[in-house]
Amino acid sequence: MSDPRILVALDYPAAADADRLVERLDPSLCRLKVGKELFTAAGPRYVEQLAARGFEVFLDLKFHDIPNTVASACRVAADLGVWMLNVHALGGRRMLEAAREAVGEGAERPRLIAVTVLTSMEQADLGELGITEPVGELVDRLAGLAGRAGLDGVVCSAREAGPLARHFGGGGLMVTPGIRPAGAARGDQRRVMTPAEARAAGSTHIVVGRPVTRAEDPAAAVEAIAAEWERAG
Ligand code: C5P
């Protein structure tokens, strides 16, 4: 079974838009990330359709609520057959533990990862919330909480992947956005890494949006990124 490390972000407002891309992609070379926009537009049946077409899906809904509600949502997501889902570590230890228990056991269970601090948040934004801890230390603290709750890894910048991996034992999943193949447009991403740099820094999976979704030939873009990833191994 292939284990593709490229997670293509389906950042689209409707299933029809996503389909135009998905039709051109190969499930042995990439997985798909469905976030709040597409999920709100197209719903769980669309996620099931992607799975039926052979794609493994990362459901990026970043659950954050009381433990019971998050656990129930995780259970439903697991029943949908998603490969991976995520929650906000700021929901706290009890929420993380409840989410972890809800996804079940066994090799077929969905992977469960945590978001620590949104990269859109700067120190001043945290200060407005009454959080004075340096952002890097807070990220590390929350990753530690997630690791102790039994989660499988974190979404983080590739720069943080190496240091944070220790919280998840040997097999932690370090899922990193902000990836731009050499020569690709940065768009609104500020601190970017190439796929090879990300792998060398400890990423286990890379989230790639526009370098694939806006490519003239998305399949070729995925192939090139996959080849770069392999060469960096
Ligand atoms: O188009 P691009 O490659 O920048 O898309 C990256 C994807 O990763 C988007 O879905 C974006 O929301 C997501 N993401 C991110 N940075 C984070 C967390 C998620 O770019 N810190």
Side-chain angles (χ1 to χ4, degrees):
M1 179 54 211
S2 70
D3 181 17
R5 302 310 178 100
I6 304 169
L7 316 181
V8 176
L10 295 182
D11 293 326
Y12 293 106
D17 302 311
D19 272 340
R20 274 190 283 280
L21 175 75
V22 171
E23 262 153 31
R24 304 174 69 176
L25 299 179
D26 175 351
S28 70
L29 290 183
C30 63
R31 292 173 161 123
L32 302 175
K33 179 173 93 69
V34 174
K36 288 190 172 90
E37 182 188 17
L38 182 60
F39 188 79
T40 301
R45 299 293 83 84
Y46 187 65
V47 172
E48 287 178 328
Q49 282 174 32
L50 294 173
R53 286 146 84 172
F55 287 96
E56 292 192 308
V57 174
F58 167 23
L59 190 63
D60 178 21
L61 297 182
K62 303 185 180 71
F63 294 137
H64 187 177
D65 210 311
I66 60 171
N68 184 57
T69 300
V70 167
S72 303
C74 288
R75 222 169 276 122
V76 173
D79 288 344
L80 268 183
V82 301
W83 162 72
M84 184 158 79
L85 66 153
N86 59 358
V87 296
H88 268 285
L90 278 167
R93 179 179 54 77
R94 283 185 295 113
M95 190 207 80
L96 293 167
E97 289 171 354
R100 174 62 192 85
E101 194 185 338
V103 298
E105 297 301 331
E108 293 306 304
R109 73 166 172 84
R111 311 290 119 194
L112 179 67
I113 62 174
V115 175
T116 58
V117 179
L118 293 171
T119 47
S120 53
M121 300 288 282
E122 296 179 343
Q123 201 67 50
D125 301 302
L126 293 173
E128 286 178 352
L129 302 178
I131 301 171
T132 52
E133 187 172 28
V135 61
E137 290 173 28
L138 181 58
V139 166
D140 193 70
R141 170 196 300 281
L142 292 170
L145 201 60
R148 287 193 299 281
L151 272 68
D152 298 301
V154 279
V155 183
C156 62
S157 111
R159 271 169 197 78
E160 300 162 342
L164 295 184
R166 73 183 196 286
H167 295 299
F168 300 91
L173 305 181
M174 300 291 128
V175 178
T176 63
I179 301 298
R180 291 292 178 269
R186 289 183 168 213
D188 54 0
Q189 297 280 14
R190 286 292 162 264
R191 291 181 299 280
V192 297
M193 275 200 198
T194 66
E197 287 167 346
R199 184 169 189 176
S203 297
T204 62
H205 297 78
I206 50 177
V207 174
V208 187
R210 287 160 290 182
V212 172
T213 61
R214 306 253 173 108
E216 234 164 80
D217 185 342
V222 169
E223 272 171 42
I225 296 168
E228 183 181 338
W229 180 269
E230 287 310 318
R231 280 196 304 276

